[in-house]
Amino acid sequence: MAAQRVEVDGGIMEGGGQILRVSTALSCLLGLPLRVQKIRAGRSTPGLRPQHLSGLEMIRDLCDGQLEGAEIGSTEIMFTPEKIKGGIHTADTKTAGCNYLSISRPWLDLYFSFIFVVQAVYVSVCYTFCRGYYPKGGGEVIVRMSPVKQLNPINLTDRGSVTKIYGRAFVAGVLPFKVAKDMAAAAVRCIRKEIRDLYVNIQPVQEPKDQAFGNGNGIIIIAETSTGCLFAGSSLGKRGVNADKVGIEAAEMLLANLRHGGAVDEYLQDQLIIFMALACGVSRIKTGPVTLHTQTAIHFAEQLAKAKFSVKKSEDEEDASKDTYIIECQGIGMTNPYL
């Protein structure tokens, strides 16, 4: 008997593309027919955009599914997954601001790892061949992954101490190298106001002309801890915004993620929810303030995967004066039937 179609309201909570990503990924993995209504109702331009269509077409092709209503501006889709197909899968997303994604492993072997592609975390190897800048895009990324039989529970509750801070300030196209140096210097000055006992290594980089499309600049800064936790801050340049401001914005984002005492930053926080839902056993992560994206991911993981989550204020003594939380999940223990 075919599974009953799940009704998803794409306009609640975060109200954007995240609902589409999480629900269609779980639909594909769990074999759940799906209808998503009010897609991106919470955005100034509701409905599907080119990047959403590319993702939906990738999922459809992956599981030989049926997809209805997938057009630019559409606010409702019907998706019925079938059996995962083998072979190498390529999704062409050379549209404004998007990257080209080429996955060079048999998709049959990557059945369980499909969610890694959708959420773009915990990949085995990721190569960035070309960066593409807004509005033309044209970047190229290749991700290679290995299949697993089952996901182990996640336990990220001990942040440890920060041992390294490093990063990359980059410019491409006609932008002068001085912009990269100014972003890096401004970021280092900002970080040293709070963290004085570590060398901050942010390298300015001029992207080779054959490895970038368009003109652009940006910076990413990573903090690594003694327990292996990673935190990041990043910023992209915009016309009329000086380089110092871009560097400071990335540095302040990183520092904010370090102040709350959690073991994951605000952007990894919601990405982990779907892994926690599918894992075998109880997962626990310590975070800063729980974001709306995380609340949304939890809602739909509970609705579709039937996983059970709890969110509680951290009771650790060192967190008494901080806005720190423990997110816990009893995963459903999904297994890969192809291994």
Side-chain angles (χ1 to χ4, degrees), residues 6-21 23 34-43 45-48 52 74-77 296 299-300 303-304:
V6 179
E7 301 287 337
V8 169
D9 185 345
I12 64 172
M13 304 183 79
E14 184 269 342
Q18 184 204 24
I19 296 174
L20 195 66
R21 293 192 296 273
S23 60
L34 192 72
R35 176 163 63 183
V36 186
Q37 303 180 73
K38 302 178 184 177
I39 295 171
R40 299 182 70 251
R43 297 294 182 263
T45 53
L48 297 173
H52 305 120
S74 173
T75 58
E76 180 175 331
I77 64 159
T296 304
H299 175 85
F300 288 102
Q303 180 187 357
L304 277 76

PDB file of all heavy atoms in Angstrom, residues 6-21 23 34-43 45-48 52 74-77 296 299-300 303-304:
ATOM      1  N   VAL A   6       1.980  13.350   2.699  1.00  0.00           N
ATOM      2  CA  VAL A   6       2.164  14.257   3.821  1.00  0.00           C
ATOM      3  C   VAL A   6       1.935  15.692   3.346  1.00  0.00           C
ATOM      4  O   VAL A   6       2.466  16.105   2.313  1.00  0.00           O
ATOM      5  CB  VAL A   6       3.585  14.129   4.411  1.00  0.00           C
ATOM      6  CG1 VAL A   6       3.778  15.100   5.570  1.00  0.00           C
ATOM      7  CG2 VAL A   6       3.847  12.696   4.865  1.00  0.00           C
ATOM      8  N   GLU A   7       1.153  16.430   4.091  1.00  0.00           N
ATOM      9  CA  GLU A   7       0.865  17.826   3.764  1.00  0.00           C
ATOM     10  C   GLU A   7       1.814  18.728   4.544  1.00  0.00           C
ATOM     11  O   GLU A   7       1.890  18.666   5.774  1.00  0.00           O
ATOM     12  CB  GLU A   7      -0.579  18.171   4.131  1.00  0.00           C
ATOM     13  CG  GLU A   7      -1.624  17.320   3.423  1.00  0.00           C
ATOM     14  CD  GLU A   7      -1.761  17.686   1.950  1.00  0.00           C
ATOM     15  OE1 GLU A   7      -1.404  18.827   1.589  1.00  0.00           O
ATOM     16  OE2 GLU A   7      -2.239  16.833   1.173  1.00  0.00           O
ATOM     17  N   VAL A   8       2.549  19.562   3.831  1.00  0.00           N
ATOM     18  CA  VAL A   8       3.521  20.466   4.447  1.00  0.00           C
ATOM     19  C   VAL A   8       3.123  21.907   4.156  1.00  0.00           C
ATOM     20  O   VAL A   8       2.880  22.277   3.000  1.00  0.00           O
ATOM     21  CB  VAL A   8       4.941  20.191   3.907  1.00  0.00           C
ATOM     22  CG1 VAL A   8       5.907  21.297   4.338  1.00  0.00           C
ATOM     23  CG2 VAL A   8       5.445  18.840   4.399  1.00  0.00           C
ATOM     24  N   ASP A   9       3.074  22.714   5.192  1.00  0.00           N
ATOM     25  CA  ASP A   9       2.777  24.138   5.061  1.00  0.00           C
ATOM     26  C   ASP A   9       4.090  24.893   4.940  1.00  0.00           C
ATOM     27  O   ASP A   9       4.823  25.049   5.911  1.00  0.00           O
ATOM     28  CB  ASP A   9       1.993  24.617   6.283  1.00  0.00           C
ATOM     29  CG  ASP A   9       1.537  26.069   6.163  1.00  0.00           C
ATOM     30  OD1 ASP A   9       2.056  26.795   5.290  1.00  0.00           O
ATOM     31  OD2 ASP A   9       0.653  26.475   6.947  1.00  0.00           O
ATOM     32  N   GLY A  10       4.405  25.343   3.734  1.00  0.00           N
ATOM     33  CA  GLY A  10       5.668  26.033   3.489  1.00  0.00           C
ATOM     34  C   GLY A  10       5.685  27.475   3.927  1.00  0.00           C
ATOM     35  O   GLY A  10       6.701  28.167   3.757  1.00  0.00           O
ATOM     36  N   GLY A  11       4.591  27.946   4.517  1.00  0.00           N
ATOM     37  CA  GLY A  11       4.526  29.344   4.922  1.00  0.00           C
ATOM     38  C   GLY A  11       4.704  29.572   6.397  1.00  0.00           C
ATOM     39  O   GLY A  11       4.735  30.723   6.841  1.00  0.00           O
ATOM     40  N   ILE A  12       4.841  28.505   7.187  1.00  0.00           N
ATOM     41  CA  ILE A  12       4.942  28.693   8.632  1.00  0.00           C
ATOM     42  C   ILE A  12       6.401  28.848   9.060  1.00  0.00           C
ATOM     43  O   ILE A  12       7.328  28.561   8.313  1.00  0.00           O
ATOM     44  CB  ILE A  12       4.296  27.516   9.400  1.00  0.00           C
ATOM     45  CG1 ILE A  12       5.059  26.211   9.134  1.00  0.00           C
ATOM     46  CG2 ILE A  12       2.836  27.370   9.017  1.00  0.00           C
ATOM     47  CD1 ILE A  12       4.584  25.044  10.007  1.00  0.00           C
ATOM     48  N   MET A  13       6.590  29.342  10.270  1.00  0.00           N
ATOM     49  CA  MET A  13       7.900  29.451  10.910  1.00  0.00           C
ATOM     50  C   MET A  13       8.896  30.180  10.013  1.00  0.00           C
ATOM     51  O   MET A  13       8.662  31.324   9.648  1.00  0.00           O
ATOM     52  CB  MET A  13       8.380  28.059  11.327  1.00  0.00           C
ATOM     53  CG  MET A  13       7.382  27.343  12.241  1.00  0.00           C
ATOM     54  SD  MET A  13       7.894  25.746  12.859  1.00  0.00           S
ATOM     55  CE  MET A  13       9.000  26.246  14.178  1.00  0.00           C
ATOM     56  N   GLU A  14       9.991  29.530   9.595  1.00  0.00           N
ATOM     57  CA  GLU A  14      10.997  30.208   8.769  1.00  0.00           C
ATOM     58  C   GLU A  14      10.404  30.666   7.448  1.00  0.00           C
ATOM     59  O   GLU A  14      10.794  31.702   6.910  1.00  0.00           O
ATOM     60  CB  GLU A  14      12.192  29.265   8.564  1.00  0.00           C
ATOM     61  CG  GLU A  14      13.357  29.847   7.801  1.00  0.00           C
ATOM     62  CD  GLU A  14      13.270  29.592   6.292  1.00  0.00           C
ATOM     63  OE1 GLU A  14      12.512  28.691   5.901  1.00  0.00           O
ATOM     64  OE2 GLU A  14      13.957  30.295   5.535  1.00  0.00           O
ATOM     65  N   GLY A  15       9.478  29.906   6.908  1.00  0.00           N
ATOM     66  CA  GLY A  15       8.714  30.331   5.739  1.00  0.00           C
ATOM     67  C   GLY A  15       9.498  30.506   4.455  1.00  0.00           C
ATOM     68  O   GLY A  15       9.061  31.218   3.542  1.00  0.00           O
ATOM     69  N   GLY A  16      10.658  29.842   4.339  1.00  0.00           N
ATOM     70  CA  GLY A  16      11.480  30.009   3.141  1.00  0.00           C
ATOM     71  C   GLY A  16      11.899  28.690   2.535  1.00  0.00           C
ATOM     72  O   GLY A  16      11.237  27.660   2.698  1.00  0.00           O
ATOM     73  N   GLY A  17      13.039  28.707   1.831  1.00  0.00           N
ATOM     74  CA  GLY A  17      13.506  27.532   1.111  1.00  0.00           C
ATOM     75  C   GLY A  17      13.927  26.384   1.998  1.00  0.00           C
ATOM     76  O   GLY A  17      13.972  25.234   1.548  1.00  0.00           O
ATOM     77  N   GLN A  18      14.245  26.671   3.272  1.00  0.00           N
ATOM     78  CA  GLN A  18      14.664  25.598   4.178  1.00  0.00           C
ATOM     79  C   GLN A  18      13.580  24.535   4.318  1.00  0.00           C
ATOM     80  O   GLN A  18      13.867  23.341   4.366  1.00  0.00           O
ATOM     81  CB  GLN A  18      15.005  26.168   5.553  1.00  0.00           C
ATOM     82  CG  GLN A  18      15.541  25.104   6.504  1.00  0.00           C
ATOM     83  CD  GLN A  18      15.331  25.467   7.955  1.00  0.00           C
ATOM     84  OE1 GLN A  18      14.448  26.243   8.288  1.00  0.00           O
ATOM     85  NE2 GLN A  18      16.144  24.895   8.815  1.00  0.00           N
ATOM     86  N   ILE A  19      12.325  24.953   4.384  1.00  0.00           N
ATOM     87  CA  ILE A  19      11.220  24.002   4.524  1.00  0.00           C
ATOM     88  C   ILE A  19      11.186  23.070   3.322  1.00  0.00           C
ATOM     89  O   ILE A  19      10.995  21.854   3.456  1.00  0.00           O
ATOM     90  CB  ILE A  19       9.879  24.743   4.673  1.00  0.00           C
ATOM     91  CG1 ILE A  19       9.883  25.558   5.968  1.00  0.00           C
ATOM     92  CG2 ILE A  19       8.705  23.763   4.653  1.00  0.00           C
ATOM     93  CD1 ILE A  19       8.661  26.439   6.152  1.00  0.00           C
ATOM     94  N   LEU A  20      11.403  23.624   2.153  1.00  0.00           N
ATOM     95  CA  LEU A  20      11.416  22.828   0.930  1.00  0.00           C
ATOM     96  C   LEU A  20      12.569  21.823   0.952  1.00  0.00           C
ATOM     97  O   LEU A  20      12.392  20.649   0.618  1.00  0.00           O
ATOM     98  CB  LEU A  20      11.535  23.759  -0.273  1.00  0.00           C
ATOM     99  CG  LEU A  20      11.210  23.192  -1.646  1.00  0.00           C
ATOM    100  CD1 LEU A  20       9.734  22.832  -1.746  1.00  0.00           C
ATOM    101  CD2 LEU A  20      11.577  24.203  -2.722  1.00  0.00           C
ATOM    102  N   ARG A  21      13.760  22.268   1.372  1.00  0.00           N
ATOM    103  CA  ARG A  21      14.932  21.388   1.399  1.00  0.00           C
ATOM    104  C   ARG A  21      14.744  20.230   2.372  1.00  0.00           C
ATOM    105  O   ARG A  21      14.983  19.073   2.033  1.00  0.00           O
ATOM    106  CB  ARG A  21      16.187  22.193   1.772  1.00  0.00           C
ATOM    107  CG  ARG A  21      16.613  23.207   0.738  1.00  0.00           C
ATOM    108  CD  ARG A  21      18.009  23.735   1.050  1.00  0.00           C
ATOM    109  NE  ARG A  21      18.061  24.457   2.315  1.00  0.00           N
ATOM    110  CZ  ARG A  21      17.805  25.744   2.457  1.00  0.00           C
ATOM    111  NH1 ARG A  21      17.437  26.462   1.407  1.00  0.00           N
ATOM    112  NH2 ARG A  21      17.909  26.337   3.636  1.00  0.00           N
ATOM    113  N   SER A  23      11.962  19.033   3.833  1.00  0.00           N
ATOM    114  CA  SER A  23      10.823  18.146   3.583  1.00  0.00           C
ATOM    115  C   SER A  23      11.043  17.252   2.370  1.00  0.00           C
ATOM    116  O   SER A  23      10.726  16.058   2.403  1.00  0.00           O
ATOM    117  CB  SER A  23       9.536  18.959   3.423  1.00  0.00           C
ATOM    118  OG  SER A  23       9.621  19.864   2.344  1.00  0.00           O
ATOM    119  N   LEU A  34       4.571  13.685  -0.943  1.00  0.00           N
ATOM    120  CA  LEU A  34       4.581  14.975  -0.277  1.00  0.00           C
ATOM    121  C   LEU A  34       3.828  16.013  -1.097  1.00  0.00           C
ATOM    122  O   LEU A  34       3.876  16.017  -2.327  1.00  0.00           O
ATOM    123  CB  LEU A  34       6.044  15.411  -0.126  1.00  0.00           C
ATOM    124  CG  LEU A  34       6.423  16.574   0.764  1.00  0.00           C
ATOM    125  CD1 LEU A  34       6.260  16.178   2.225  1.00  0.00           C
ATOM    126  CD2 LEU A  34       7.877  16.966   0.492  1.00  0.00           C
ATOM    127  N   ARG A  35       3.116  16.893  -0.393  1.00  0.00           N
ATOM    128  CA  ARG A  35       2.606  18.105  -1.028  1.00  0.00           C
ATOM    129  C   ARG A  35       3.047  19.286  -0.170  1.00  0.00           C
ATOM    130  O   ARG A  35       2.770  19.328   1.032  1.00  0.00           O
ATOM    131  CB  ARG A  35       1.094  18.111  -1.147  1.00  0.00           C
ATOM    132  CG  ARG A  35       0.587  19.447  -1.728  1.00  0.00           C
ATOM    133  CD  ARG A  35      -0.825  19.394  -2.247  1.00  0.00           C
ATOM    134  NE  ARG A  35      -1.781  19.106  -1.181  1.00  0.00           N
ATOM    135  CZ  ARG A  35      -3.093  18.955  -1.399  1.00  0.00           C
ATOM    136  NH1 ARG A  35      -3.572  19.048  -2.627  1.00  0.00           N
ATOM    137  NH2 ARG A  35      -3.903  18.703  -0.393  1.00  0.00           N
ATOM    138  N   VAL A  36       3.757  20.230  -0.788  1.00  0.00           N
ATOM    139  CA  VAL A  36       4.196  21.431  -0.092  1.00  0.00           C
ATOM    140  C   VAL A  36       3.391  22.604  -0.621  1.00  0.00           C
ATOM    141  O   VAL A  36       3.412  22.894  -1.816  1.00  0.00           O
ATOM    142  CB  VAL A  36       5.701  21.694  -0.287  1.00  0.00           C
ATOM    143  CG1 VAL A  36       6.146  22.865   0.580  1.00  0.00           C
ATOM    144  CG2 VAL A  36       6.521  20.448   0.051  1.00  0.00           C
ATOM    145  N   GLN A  37       2.684  23.275   0.254  1.00  0.00           N
ATOM    146  CA  GLN A  37       1.870  24.424  -0.119  1.00  0.00           C
ATOM    147  C   GLN A  37       2.467  25.702   0.476  1.00  0.00           C
ATOM    148  O   GLN A  37       3.262  25.657   1.395  1.00  0.00           O
ATOM    149  CB  GLN A  37       0.440  24.247   0.382  1.00  0.00           C
ATOM    150  CG  GLN A  37      -0.238  22.977  -0.118  1.00  0.00           C
ATOM    151  CD  GLN A  37      -1.649  22.854   0.415  1.00  0.00           C
ATOM    152  OE1 GLN A  37      -2.561  23.563  -0.005  1.00  0.00           O
ATOM    153  NE2 GLN A  37      -1.836  21.943   1.369  1.00  0.00           N
ATOM    154  N   LYS A  38       2.069  26.835  -0.086  1.00  0.00           N
ATOM    155  CA  LYS A  38       2.503  28.157   0.403  1.00  0.00           C
ATOM    156  C   LYS A  38       4.023  28.262   0.430  1.00  0.00           C
ATOM    157  O   LYS A  38       4.615  28.772   1.393  1.00  0.00           O
ATOM    158  CB  LYS A  38       1.929  28.435   1.793  1.00  0.00           C
ATOM    159  CG  LYS A  38       0.412  28.390   1.860  1.00  0.00           C
ATOM    160  CD  LYS A  38      -0.071  28.631   3.283  1.00  0.00           C
ATOM    161  CE  LYS A  38      -1.589  28.488   3.376  1.00  0.00           C
ATOM    162  NZ  LYS A  38      -2.066  28.652   4.774  1.00  0.00           N
ATOM    163  N   ILE A  39       4.676  27.789  -0.627  1.00  0.00           N
ATOM    164  CA  ILE A  39       6.133  27.769  -0.689  1.00  0.00           C
ATOM    165  C   ILE A  39       6.693  29.183  -0.611  1.00  0.00           C
ATOM    166  O   ILE A  39       6.293  30.077  -1.349  1.00  0.00           O
ATOM    167  CB  ILE A  39       6.609  27.078  -1.984  1.00  0.00           C
ATOM    168  CG1 ILE A  39       6.208  25.593  -1.964  1.00  0.00           C
ATOM    169  CG2 ILE A  39       8.123  27.221  -2.149  1.00  0.00           C
ATOM    170  CD1 ILE A  39       6.448  24.890  -3.276  1.00  0.00           C
ATOM    171  N   ARG A  40       7.601  29.379   0.323  1.00  0.00           N
ATOM    172  CA  ARG A  40       8.281  30.665   0.544  1.00  0.00           C
ATOM    173  C   ARG A  40       7.278  31.804   0.736  1.00  0.00           C
ATOM    174  O   ARG A  40       7.512  32.940   0.323  1.00  0.00           O
ATOM    175  CB  ARG A  40       9.238  30.976  -0.605  1.00  0.00           C
ATOM    176  CG  ARG A  40      10.335  29.941  -0.779  1.00  0.00           C
ATOM    177  CD  ARG A  40      11.312  30.296  -1.897  1.00  0.00           C
ATOM    178  NE  ARG A  40      12.149  31.439  -1.540  1.00  0.00           N
ATOM    179  CZ  ARG A  40      12.037  32.643  -2.087  1.00  0.00           C
ATOM    180  NH1 ARG A  40      11.125  32.872  -3.006  1.00  0.00           N
ATOM    181  NH2 ARG A  40      12.831  33.632  -1.714  1.00  0.00           N
ATOM    182  N   ALA A  41       6.182  31.494   1.403  1.00  0.00           N
ATOM    183  CA  ALA A  41       5.157  32.511   1.648  1.00  0.00           C
ATOM    184  C   ALA A  41       5.681  33.628   2.538  1.00  0.00           C
ATOM    185  O   ALA A  41       5.141  34.737   2.532  1.00  0.00           O
ATOM    186  CB  ALA A  41       3.923  31.872   2.272  1.00  0.00           C
ATOM    187  N   GLY A  42       6.716  33.351   3.300  1.00  0.00           N
ATOM    188  CA  GLY A  42       7.272  34.359   4.192  1.00  0.00           C
ATOM    189  C   GLY A  42       8.292  35.260   3.535  1.00  0.00           C
ATOM    190  O   GLY A  42       8.938  36.062   4.214  1.00  0.00           O
ATOM    191  N   ARG A  43       8.469  35.158   2.222  1.00  0.00           N
ATOM    192  CA  ARG A  43       9.468  35.957   1.524  1.00  0.00           C
ATOM    193  C   ARG A  43       8.819  37.072   0.701  1.00  0.00           C
ATOM    194  O   ARG A  43       7.642  36.999   0.350  1.00  0.00           O
ATOM    195  CB  ARG A  43      10.318  35.067   0.603  1.00  0.00           C
ATOM    196  CG  ARG A  43      11.124  34.021   1.359  1.00  0.00           C
ATOM    197  CD  ARG A  43      12.181  34.705   2.219  1.00  0.00           C
ATOM    198  NE  ARG A  43      13.020  33.735   2.936  1.00  0.00           N
ATOM    199  CZ  ARG A  43      12.829  33.368   4.177  1.00  0.00           C
ATOM    200  NH1 ARG A  43      11.785  33.863   4.858  1.00  0.00           N
ATOM    201  NH2 ARG A  43      13.641  32.510   4.772  1.00  0.00           N
ATOM    202  N   THR A  45       9.374  37.721  -2.334  1.00  0.00           N
ATOM    203  CA  THR A  45       9.023  37.148  -3.644  1.00  0.00           C
ATOM    204  C   THR A  45       8.658  35.681  -3.418  1.00  0.00           C
ATOM    205  O   THR A  45       9.518  34.812  -3.520  1.00  0.00           O
ATOM    206  CB  THR A  45      10.206  37.257  -4.630  1.00  0.00           C
ATOM    207  OG1 THR A  45      11.378  36.677  -4.028  1.00  0.00           O
ATOM    208  CG2 THR A  45      10.491  38.703  -4.984  1.00  0.00           C
ATOM    209  N   PRO A  46       7.404  35.401  -3.096  1.00  0.00           N
ATOM    210  CA  PRO A  46       6.994  34.020  -2.789  1.00  0.00           C
ATOM    211  C   PRO A  46       7.174  33.089  -3.974  1.00  0.00           C
ATOM    212  O   PRO A  46       7.308  33.514  -5.133  1.00  0.00           O
ATOM    213  CB  PRO A  46       5.507  34.172  -2.431  1.00  0.00           C
ATOM    214  CG  PRO A  46       5.312  35.612  -2.106  1.00  0.00           C
ATOM    215  CD  PRO A  46       6.289  36.348  -2.968  1.00  0.00           C
ATOM    216  N   GLY A  47       7.164  31.805  -3.684  1.00  0.00           N
ATOM    217  CA  GLY A  47       7.225  30.795  -4.734  1.00  0.00           C
ATOM    218  C   GLY A  47       8.637  30.364  -5.070  1.00  0.00           C
ATOM    219  O   GLY A  47       9.621  30.841  -4.497  1.00  0.00           O
ATOM    220  N   LEU A  48       8.731  29.437  -6.007  1.00  0.00           N
ATOM    221  CA  LEU A  48      10.013  28.843  -6.394  1.00  0.00           C
ATOM    222  C   LEU A  48      10.851  29.813  -7.206  1.00  0.00           C
ATOM    223  O   LEU A  48      10.336  30.561  -8.039  1.00  0.00           O
ATOM    224  CB  LEU A  48       9.770  27.570  -7.209  1.00  0.00           C
ATOM    225  CG  LEU A  48       9.046  26.430  -6.495  1.00  0.00           C
ATOM    226  CD1 LEU A  48       8.733  25.322  -7.484  1.00  0.00           C
ATOM    227  CD2 LEU A  48       9.883  25.899  -5.339  1.00  0.00           C
ATOM    228  N   HIS A  52      15.799  26.771  -6.496  1.00  0.00           N
ATOM    229  CA  HIS A  52      14.910  25.770  -5.908  1.00  0.00           C
ATOM    230  C   HIS A  52      14.510  24.731  -6.955  1.00  0.00           C
ATOM    231  O   HIS A  52      14.422  23.534  -6.659  1.00  0.00           O
ATOM    232  CB  HIS A  52      13.656  26.438  -5.343  1.00  0.00           C
ATOM    233  CG  HIS A  52      13.947  27.533  -4.366  1.00  0.00           C
ATOM    234  ND1 HIS A  52      13.541  28.832  -4.557  1.00  0.00           N
ATOM    235  CD2 HIS A  52      14.653  27.516  -3.209  1.00  0.00           C
ATOM    236  CE1 HIS A  52      13.952  29.563  -3.539  1.00  0.00           C
ATOM    237  NE2 HIS A  52      14.636  28.806  -2.715  1.00  0.00           N
ATOM    238  N   SER A  74       5.891  29.205  -8.635  1.00  0.00           N
ATOM    239  CA  SER A  74       4.882  28.286  -8.108  1.00  0.00           C
ATOM    240  C   SER A  74       4.958  28.238  -6.583  1.00  0.00           C
ATOM    241  O   SER A  74       6.037  28.201  -6.001  1.00  0.00           O
ATOM    242  CB  SER A  74       5.096  26.888  -8.681  1.00  0.00           C
ATOM    243  OG  SER A  74       4.224  25.959  -8.064  1.00  0.00           O
ATOM    244  N   THR A  75       3.798  28.209  -5.935  1.00  0.00           N
ATOM    245  CA  THR A  75       3.753  28.142  -4.474  1.00  0.00           C
ATOM    246  C   THR A  75       3.273  26.781  -3.972  1.00  0.00           C
ATOM    247  O   THR A  75       3.047  26.608  -2.774  1.00  0.00           O
ATOM    248  CB  THR A  75       2.826  29.241  -3.912  1.00  0.00           C
ATOM    249  OG1 THR A  75       1.516  29.075  -4.466  1.00  0.00           O
ATOM    250  CG2 THR A  75       3.363  30.627  -4.244  1.00  0.00           C
ATOM    251  N   GLU A  76       3.119  25.809  -4.877  1.00  0.00           N
ATOM    252  CA  GLU A  76       2.697  24.477  -4.451  1.00  0.00           C
ATOM    253  C   GLU A  76       3.303  23.422  -5.357  1.00  0.00           C
ATOM    254  O   GLU A  76       3.312  23.569  -6.582  1.00  0.00           O
ATOM    255  CB  GLU A  76       1.180  24.353  -4.475  1.00  0.00           C
ATOM    256  CG  GLU A  76       0.662  22.983  -4.028  1.00  0.00           C
ATOM    257  CD  GLU A  76      -0.857  22.917  -3.955  1.00  0.00           C
ATOM    258  OE1 GLU A  76      -1.478  23.951  -3.701  1.00  0.00           O
ATOM    259  OE2 GLU A  76      -1.412  21.811  -4.142  1.00  0.00           O
ATOM    260  N   ILE A  77       3.818  22.364  -4.771  1.00  0.00           N
ATOM    261  CA  ILE A  77       4.334  21.231  -5.540  1.00  0.00           C
ATOM    262  C   ILE A  77       3.782  19.930  -4.968  1.00  0.00           C
ATOM    263  O   ILE A  77       3.411  19.859  -3.799  1.00  0.00           O
ATOM    264  CB  ILE A  77       5.874  21.158  -5.543  1.00  0.00           C
ATOM    265  CG1 ILE A  77       6.405  20.920  -4.112  1.00  0.00           C
ATOM    266  CG2 ILE A  77       6.496  22.361  -6.199  1.00  0.00           C
ATOM    267  CD1 ILE A  77       7.800  20.356  -4.050  1.00  0.00           C
ATOM    268  N   THR A 296      12.423  25.473  12.948  1.00  0.00           N
ATOM    269  CA  THR A 296      11.715  24.989  11.762  1.00  0.00           C
ATOM    270  C   THR A 296      12.163  23.584  11.384  1.00  0.00           C
ATOM    271  O   THR A 296      11.343  22.709  11.089  1.00  0.00           O
ATOM    272  CB  THR A 296      11.949  25.952  10.575  1.00  0.00           C
ATOM    273  OG1 THR A 296      11.538  27.272  10.955  1.00  0.00           O
ATOM    274  CG2 THR A 296      11.174  25.512   9.346  1.00  0.00           C
ATOM    275  N   HIS A 299      10.660  21.083  13.735  1.00  0.00           N
ATOM    276  CA  HIS A 299       9.225  20.892  13.468  1.00  0.00           C
ATOM    277  C   HIS A 299       9.001  19.883  12.348  1.00  0.00           C
ATOM    278  O   HIS A 299       8.197  18.947  12.477  1.00  0.00           O
ATOM    279  CB  HIS A 299       8.590  22.233  13.105  1.00  0.00           C
ATOM    280  CG  HIS A 299       7.154  22.133  12.698  1.00  0.00           C
ATOM    281  ND1 HIS A 299       6.108  22.126  13.605  1.00  0.00           N
ATOM    282  CD2 HIS A 299       6.569  22.007  11.466  1.00  0.00           C
ATOM    283  CE1 HIS A 299       4.963  22.008  12.961  1.00  0.00           C
ATOM    284  NE2 HIS A 299       5.215  21.939  11.665  1.00  0.00           N
ATOM    285  N   PHE A 300       9.718  20.048  11.243  1.00  0.00           N
ATOM    286  CA  PHE A 300       9.478  19.180  10.093  1.00  0.00           C
ATOM    287  C   PHE A 300      10.153  17.813  10.238  1.00  0.00           C
ATOM    288  O   PHE A 300       9.673  16.821   9.692  1.00  0.00           O
ATOM    289  CB  PHE A 300       9.882  19.890   8.798  1.00  0.00           C
ATOM    290  CG  PHE A 300       8.925  20.983   8.440  1.00  0.00           C
ATOM    291  CD1 PHE A 300       9.243  22.310   8.677  1.00  0.00           C
ATOM    292  CD2 PHE A 300       7.669  20.693   7.925  1.00  0.00           C
ATOM    293  CE1 PHE A 300       8.345  23.321   8.381  1.00  0.00           C
ATOM    294  CE2 PHE A 300       6.762  21.689   7.626  1.00  0.00           C
ATOM    295  CZ  PHE A 300       7.097  23.012   7.858  1.00  0.00           C
ATOM    296  N   GLN A 303       7.581  16.050  12.188  1.00  0.00           N
ATOM    297  CA  GLN A 303       6.397  15.753  11.391  1.00  0.00           C
ATOM    298  C   GLN A 303       6.638  14.611  10.403  1.00  0.00           C
ATOM    299  O   GLN A 303       5.814  13.698  10.282  1.00  0.00           O
ATOM    300  CB  GLN A 303       5.938  16.998  10.611  1.00  0.00           C
ATOM    301  CG  GLN A 303       4.692  16.740   9.747  1.00  0.00           C
ATOM    302  CD  GLN A 303       4.341  17.913   8.848  1.00  0.00           C
ATOM    303  OE1 GLN A 303       4.970  18.959   8.881  1.00  0.00           O
ATOM    304  NE2 GLN A 303       3.314  17.728   8.024  1.00  0.00           N
ATOM    305  N   LEU A 304       7.768  14.638   9.713  1.00  0.00           N
ATOM    306  CA  LEU A 304       8.003  13.663   8.654  1.00  0.00           C
ATOM    307  C   LEU A 304       8.715  12.412   9.146  1.00  0.00           C
ATOM    308  O   LEU A 304       8.340  11.299   8.770  1.00  0.00           O
ATOM    309  CB  LEU A 304       8.793  14.296   7.511  1.00  0.00           C
ATOM    310  CG  LEU A 304       7.970  15.091   6.496  1.00  0.00           C
ATOM    311  CD1 LEU A 304       7.563  16.450   7.060  1.00  0.00           C
ATOM    312  CD2 LEU A 304       8.754  15.319   5.203  1.00  0.00           C
TER     313      LEU A 304
END
